[in-house]
Amino acid sequence: MVNRKLVNHMEKCDFLYRLIDFPDQVEFSRNNQIVIDLAQDQSPFIRSLVAKALFEYPNESSKSILLELSKDKNDLVRVEAADSLKAYVDDVVYTRLLYMAKQDQYYITRAYAVCSLSFIHFGLESRSLSTFVEERLSQERHTINKIMCAEALYRLGQDSALIQLIGYFKSRNYKNQCAVIHSLNDVLSKKNYGVINDFVRDLRIKDLPISVRSTLEKLQDDLRELDDMDLQSRVVS
């Protein structure tokens, strides 16, 4: 990586995309100051890339940067910060995400904050999130928020939320349909393989928008991989 100040916009993007795409090949500590500088860049796009990249490098410095970016004036920056904060099991992060999930002015930021809360809940056993998420589900009017709330509730142990999540695929908005597929991919396991596989099998795929079909391909691949793993385990046993 680099150890000099980045000036050119393309250089900054290239540096950050390498952080995102090749985390195993980066010695992050050597580039920490560059990241701190880029987190204050004039370009909201650069700041959003910083927030996205820091998911891969959880440490105290990254956490501090993300907490600051979670207060950014730009919506996209706050969305990426809310998403990346799920890598940080911490009381301060938990409190910040609670605030974002309820108070952020941008509905997509609220959606990602709710989802991130369900990831870090397991490290904070004294906290109970289900009631809070159910309240958000009842109060949010955007379907993307309801999708994220259903995913969070399922991750928090409410099995019935999976059917609720699948139900949102009936939305005519292709972005919402893609969001449902992404959520199903995130929660896919041996436990719910049958339900999710039945849902995919019953879809009239040729009638779906191209973007939805493209998003669906990864879920289909993961379903096949899970099925192959199960078959192999049965053969071995």
Side-chain angles (χ1 to χ4, degrees):
M1 298 298 284
V2 299
N3 55 11
R4 59 184 174 80
K5 188 176 180 64
L6 299 175
V7 178
N8 181 277
H9 180 80
M10 292 304 296
E11 282 186 330
K12 295 174 184 178
C13 289
D14 182 62
F15 169 77
L16 290 168
Y17 278 124
R18 289 186 185 182
L19 286 182
I20 294 167
D21 294 336
F22 306 105
D24 295 337
Q25 302 176 23
V26 175
E27 198 173 329
F28 185 75
S29 59
R30 294 181 58 189
N31 298 284
N32 191 55
Q33 187 56 51
I34 298 175
V35 175
I36 291 173
D37 292 341
L38 292 179
Q40 303 172 58
D41 196 86
Q42 291 184 348
S43 166
F45 180 69
I46 294 297
R47 299 197 304 276
S48 73
L49 286 181
V50 171
K52 185 179 181 68
L54 292 180
F55 172 76
E56 301 288 352
Y57 309 92
N59 57 50
E60 285 300 311
S61 176
S62 298
K63 182 181 77 173
S64 297
I65 295 170
L66 280 173
L67 287 170
E68 284 302 311
L69 291 175
S70 75
K71 305 170 188 174
D72 200 278
K73 293 181 179 179
N74 182 269
D75 292 340
L76 177 60
V77 177
R78 296 197 312 281
V79 168
E80 293 291 358
D83 190 31
S84 288
L85 281 169
K86 66 173 176 263
Y88 299 78
V89 181
D90 179 276
D91 280 301
V92 175
V93 171
Y94 187 91
T95 301
R96 180 61 190 159
L97 286 170
L98 280 174
Y99 177 85
M100 296 175 78
K102 188 173 183 180
Q103 302 292 343
D104 198 276
Q105 63 183 4
Y106 188 41
Y107 70 98
I108 295 181
T109 304
R110 297 196 302 273
Y112 275 90
V114 164
C115 201
S116 289
L117 281 166
S118 70
F119 276 91
I120 69 174
H121 169 266
F122 301 106
L124 301 162
E125 295 179 357
S126 63
R127 308 279 192 174
S128 177
L129 265 181
S130 293
T131 300
F132 175 82
V133 177
E134 287 169 351
E135 289 174 354
R136 299 314 311 151
L137 179 60
S138 66
Q139 293 174 19
E140 294 286 2
R141 63 186 182 87
H142 294 282
T143 302
I144 183 63
N145 294 76
K146 294 182 180 296
I147 290 168
M148 294 292 207
C149 284
E151 178 186 340
L153 287 171
Y154 181 74
R155 190 172 284 110
L156 291 168
Q158 294 193 19
D159 290 349
S160 61
L162 183 63
I163 302 303
Q164 190 173 13
L165 173 59
I166 289 173
Y168 291 125
F169 191 82
K170 295 178 182 178
S171 168
R172 294 183 178 181
N173 186 315
Y174 76 93
K175 292 181 180 179
N176 291 333
Q177 293 178 333
C178 287
V180 169
I181 294 169
H182 280 303
S183 288
L184 291 175
N185 229 126
D186 286 344
V187 301
L188 178 63
S189 67
K190 289 183 179 180
K191 176 183 175 181
N192 58 36
Y193 168 86
V195 175
I196 295 177
N197 189 58
D198 287 348
F199 160 71
V200 172
R201 185 191 58 202
D202 292 342
L203 288 175
R204 299 184 61 172
I205 295 177
K206 66 178 182 179
D207 295 334
L208 297 174
I210 293 176
S211 57
V212 178
R213 277 183 273 163
S214 177
T215 306
L216 187 62
E217 287 178 1
K218 184 179 186 309
L219 179 57
Q220 291 174 309
D221 288 343
D222 288 351
L223 283 165
R224 282 191 288 268
E225 182 178 345
L226 198 58
D227 188 43
D228 289 342
M229 289 172 59
D230 182 58
L231 180 60
Q232 290 174 11
S233 65
R234 280 182 285 170
V235 169
V236 171
S237 61

